[in-house]
Amino acid sequence: MRVKAVGLLSGGLDSAVACQLMLDQGIEVHVVHVSMPWGCGKPSRVTALAERFGIPLKVIPLADDYLSILKKPQYGFGSAHNPCVDCHIYMVKKAAEYMKEIGADFIFTGEVLGQRPMSQRRVCLDWVENDAGVPGKLLRPLSARLLPPTVPEEEGLVDRSKLLAIVGRSRKEQHTIAVAAGLKEFSQPGGGCLLTEKHFGARIKDVLAHGCDHIALTAVLGLGRYFRVDEDTFVLLGRNDRENDKLLEYAMSDDMILRSFTFFGPAALVRSRVLKEEHLALAAGIIQFYSKWRGEEPIVVNYWKSATPDEMSEITSLVLDEDAVGRMSKG
Ligand code: SF4
């Protein structure tokens, strides 16, 4: 029977090359992509890669159980609010569930020994494998010859001599393999996961401290300027036309949208557990502060509930000075 494996595909070069190495050994490859509302890997690249390889892709959206990792990861955070070791464990667990579901023989990832100071040290690779409950069943084809043989290697399901011994941050060898295989669909390394950005991490921390209990509620946090108005309420303000449109797209049904159709200025989203008129007046004031009407007479701003855009009302802004905006601003 053909050897079957489940790979984690991020859309980046490393996981793409890991797939290529497995396919080169005649292994039947299935891939899993854990999709995050704020991204690590581009979904379009993941789909393009799976199509390019002609392999089945299962996309698993991040679920609410990830919130406990964001609150208190067992292995701590990286330089921002990125719980990379726990995150890897989470993803490998998802791949492990799928491995059992489809009767695959092992899991593989594009992890490279020593590539990232926090999550790809040797000890971290062991933590991921053990805590995800797959001892001996997690193959890292790019660094495998520097690691103890896994069960599929010992059982001869995988030819260890054709695996690699890459260590560190250089991606020269991966690029050489990608070029030889004609692989172009991967995304370039770096960036992607907003959790690695300090300002976004601060927002996530703030909403968690204020009772956010659904991962879907965090999707909008990558947009705009962020203001904490009170314990129950925050405001997001678009910084350009794209973000103004995206705020509407990402709004939950109970969110309030504010936009002035008389005075040119940005759009705002207000999310509150206990919405009061003063929240709307403050949000209108923030819009005014970031428009050419700053410090002028109050302006009138239209607002509506995201779920019912046809039911529009008006609110007069509370004129805010720099100190008042600064106290609410969280980046
Ligand atoms: S950068 Fe870290 S936290 Fe972000 S998706 Fe990758 S492993 Fe997870």
Side-chain angles (χ1 to χ4, degrees):
M1 212 164 59
R2 200 173 166 200
V3 177
K4 200 194 271 191
V6 170
L8 275 171
L9 190 63
S10 70
L13 173 62
D14 296 328
S15 62
V17 169
C19 272
Q20 184 66 52
L21 292 174
M22 294 293 91
L23 290 165
D24 288 347
Q25 292 210 20
I27 291 165
E28 180 183 329
V29 172
H30 296 243
V31 282
V32 163
H33 175 69
V34 179
S35 105
M36 303 193 136
W38 353 269
C40 186
K42 291 192 176 147
S44 59
R45 300 285 174 168
V46 172
T47 311
L49 276 167
E51 279 172 7
R52 161 78 170 70
F53 288 132
I55 55 179
L57 163 68
K58 184 178 174 75
V59 177
I60 302 176
L62 208 62
D64 289 342
D65 55 355
Y66 194 84
L67 289 175
S68 60
I69 293 175
L70 285 177
K71 283 178 193 162
K72 201 171 179 216
Q74 188 183 348
Y75 295 103
F77 293 107
S79 56
H81 205 73
N82 47 317
C84 291
V85 177
D86 294 75
C87 185
H88 279 188
I89 293 168
Y90 182 93
M91 290 186 189
V92 172
K93 275 184 181 167
K94 297 292 173 195
E97 285 165 17
Y98 193 52
M99 172 181 76
K100 284 189 192 131
E101 192 184 317
I102 65 168
D105 299 288
F106 65 95
I107 301 165
F108 69 91
T109 69
E111 289 165 293
V112 172
L113 186 63
Q115 188 183 74
R116 291 181 194 277
M118 178 192 175
S119 58
Q120 295 186 20
R121 287 174 291 142
R122 174 60 211 279
V123 67
C124 300
L125 298 186
D126 290 345
W127 290 337
V128 170
E129 183 174 332
N130 292 326
D131 289 14
V134 286
K137 291 266 185 163
L138 177 53
L139 179 71
R140 278 88 172 202
L142 302 185
S143 295
R145 292 208 335 265
L146 299 168
L147 301 168
T150 56
V151 172
E153 290 163 272
E154 282 172 341
E155 291 179 348
L157 304 180
V158 174
D159 183 347
R160 184 172 169 89
S161 70
K162 292 183 177 155
L163 300 176
L164 307 182
I166 303 176
V167 64
R169 298 178 74 87
S170 166
R171 286 190 164 86
K172 206 171 155 197
E173 204 168 337
Q174 292 94 311
H175 270 291
T176 304
I177 293 168
V179 169
L183 276 181
K184 294 184 182 127
E185 294 80 357
F186 53 88
S187 48
Q188 290 306 315
C193 177
L194 286 178
L195 292 173
T196 61
E197 294 180 12
K198 283 201 164 62
H199 80 282
F200 180 77
R203 295 176 185 195
I204 286 279
K205 211 169 154 185
D206 186 66
V207 295
L208 291 174
H210 289 89
C212 174
D213 54 3
H214 291 298
I215 202 86
L217 295 174
T218 65
V220 75
L221 295 176
L223 296 171
R225 301 174 200 273
Y226 180 79
F227 303 88
R228 169 59 60 183
V229 171
D230 62 24
E231 291 300 301
D232 298 307
T233 312
F234 70 77
V235 173
L236 282 167
L237 189 80
R239 284 173 295 199
N240 49 46
D241 286 346
R242 188 193 74 84
E243 288 193 340
N244 291 335
D245 293 344
K246 284 272 174 197
L247 282 177
L248 272 64
E249 192 185 310
Y250 281 53
M252 307 301 281
S253 57
D254 284 339
D255 291 341
M256 303 302 289
I257 306 296
L258 284 85
R259 186 124 214 214
S260 175
F261 293 114
T262 316
F263 300 89
F264 183 74
L269 176 149
V270 179
R271 182 172 295 168
S272 180
R273 282 192 296 248
V274 196
L275 186 73
K276 297 176 190 153
E277 197 168 305
E278 68 184 74
H279 296 141
L280 298 170
L282 271 169
I286 293 171
I287 288 177
Q288 180 177 6
F289 185 84
Y290 285 95
S291 74
K292 66 177 184 178
W293 312 103
R294 178 188 295 191
E296 304 275 327
E297 292 297 305
I299 63 169
V300 173
V301 173
N302 303 83
Y303 73 90
W304 62 95
K305 198 172 180 177
S306 165
T308 50
D310 294 336
E311 296 170 24
M312 207 174 280
S313 304
E314 290 182 343
I315 186 84
T316 301
S317 68
L318 208 62
V319 179
L320 301 171
D321 60 21
E322 202 150 351
D323 285 347
V325 173
R327 278 194 296 277
M328 291 186 284
S329 176
K330 303 289 175 197

